[in-house]
Amino acid sequence: GQNIDQPTEMTATEGAIVQINCTYQTSGFNGLFWYQQHAGEAPTFLSYNVLDGLEEKGRFSSFLSRSKGYSYLLLKELQMKDSASYLCAVKDNQGGKLIFGQGTELSVKP
Amino acid sequence: EAGVTQFPSHSVIEKGQTVTLRCDPISGHDNLYWYRRVMGKEIKFLLHFVKESKQDESGMPNNRFLAERTGGTYSTLKVQPAELEDSGVYFCASSQVEVGSPLHFGNGTRLTVT
């Protein structure tokens, strides 16, 4: 079966650091994506990991451990505009479709 | 470059009616995907085109849903006849064929069946 778990909600303070975890159990694996989605808008691409380790891109970093079926998204120097839903998605190795978790609703408070 | 565009942004129809959703992918993207998000649930895969061919339609709920991509450009998703449980947000996404290319999503069509 396909199962991707991430926390439903998180709250953090402006200027702080927050880590959003994602665990997955999928029949195939061809990479893991993180997307950001503001209400009523399109999901937008944040990061892609296919090998173990950390990928850093500005204030956002993403980590992957394939042996543990685990990833996290790290957001530094939080800004109010970072309040959004963060989606973890695994790309399967048959056709390349994405399998999504339910998303983590992040609220950044002043 | 222009992003993925979807039309209409909202549609309210009665049970039993027909609705056609349209998606214009990013120019040059051979991969085109349809996804759906029902309230309170995760975004779920419906089907995948490579150019004009259906690569994977394992996520299509039933035969009331018909997707086409004539000429390998824009795509349509028709629901006929619509049922209450078809309500949700329908997203289209496109990508290049290279491994690791991210999917670019449209803003979605919010479908409400009453």
Side-chain angles (χ1 to χ4, degrees):
Chain A
Q2 318 277 43
N3 193 44
I4 299 177
D5 286 319
Q6 46 181 136
T8 305
E9 297 177 328
M10 296 184 74
T11 302
T13 305
E14 192 176 14
I17 299 173
V18 70
Q19 178 175 312
I20 303 174
N21 296 325
C22 171
T23 57
Y24 64 90
Q25 289 177 305
T26 56
S27 54
F29 181 85
N30 202 15
L32 188 143
F33 290 80
W34 284 95
Y35 281 82
Q36 179 192 62
Q37 186 179 22
H38 287 99
E41 297 182 7
T44 55
F45 168 72
L46 290 178
S47 69
Y48 169 67
N49 295 72
V50 66
L51 300 176
D52 290 352
L54 189 68
E55 294 283 339
E56 296 185 82
K57 193 186 293 185
R59 293 190 299 116
F60 292 27
S61 303
S62 57
F63 171 83
L64 175 67
S65 169
R66 289 172 297 170
S67 62
K68 295 181 180 177
Y70 168 69
S71 172
Y72 67 72
L73 180 69
L74 193 71
L75 292 76
K76 303 175 187 174
E77 301 168 15
L78 280 172
Q79 302 174 9
M80 299 299 290
K81 67 178 183 180
D82 296 330
S83 292
S85 181
Y86 290 84
L87 308 171
C88 173
V90 170
K91 189 169 191 177
D92 82 0
N93 54 9
Q94 295 180 351
K97 65 179 180 283
L98 293 183
I99 304 159
F100 282 89
Q102 283 212 342
T104 298
E105 193 68 38
L106 174 66
S107 296
V108 179
K109 308 287 187 189
Chain B
E1 68 182 359
V4 176
T5 56
Q6 293 187 243
F7 183 83
S9 57
H10 294 81
S11 180
V12 181
I13 61 172
E14 292 183 353
K15 176 182 171 181
Q17 290 185 322
T18 298
V19 63
T20 301
L21 314 181
R22 173 171 170 143
C23 168
D24 286 77
I26 292 172
S27 178
H29 282 192
D30 287 341
N31 286 323
L32 187 148
Y33 303 83
W34 284 99
Y35 287 83
R36 176 174 73 175
R37 188 167 203 172
V38 172
M39 188 179 295
K41 303 279 187 126
E42 71 274 20
I43 297 174
K44 281 201 167 174
F45 168 80
L46 296 177
L47 90 158
H48 170 207
F49 285 99
V50 178
K51 297 185 179 178
E52 67 275 9
S53 300
K54 291 177 185 174
Q55 178 80 9
D56 180 355
E57 50 185 331
S58 61
M60 294 287 263
N62 50 61
N63 59 10
R64 295 185 293 104
F65 289 74
L66 175 64
E68 296 181 324
R69 191 182 183 194
T70 308
T73 54
Y74 71 91
S75 175
T76 58
L77 179 65
K78 186 191 313 188
V79 185
Q80 179 183 30
E83 298 287 345
L84 299 179
E85 65 264 25
D86 300 333
S87 295
V89 182
Y90 289 76
F91 289 103
C92 175
S94 70
S95 75
Q96 296 176 319
V97 296
E98 285 76 18
V99 173
S101 294
L103 274 63
H104 298 266
F105 284 81
N107 283 340
T109 294
R110 181 173 295 278
L111 175 65
T112 303
V113 183
T114 62

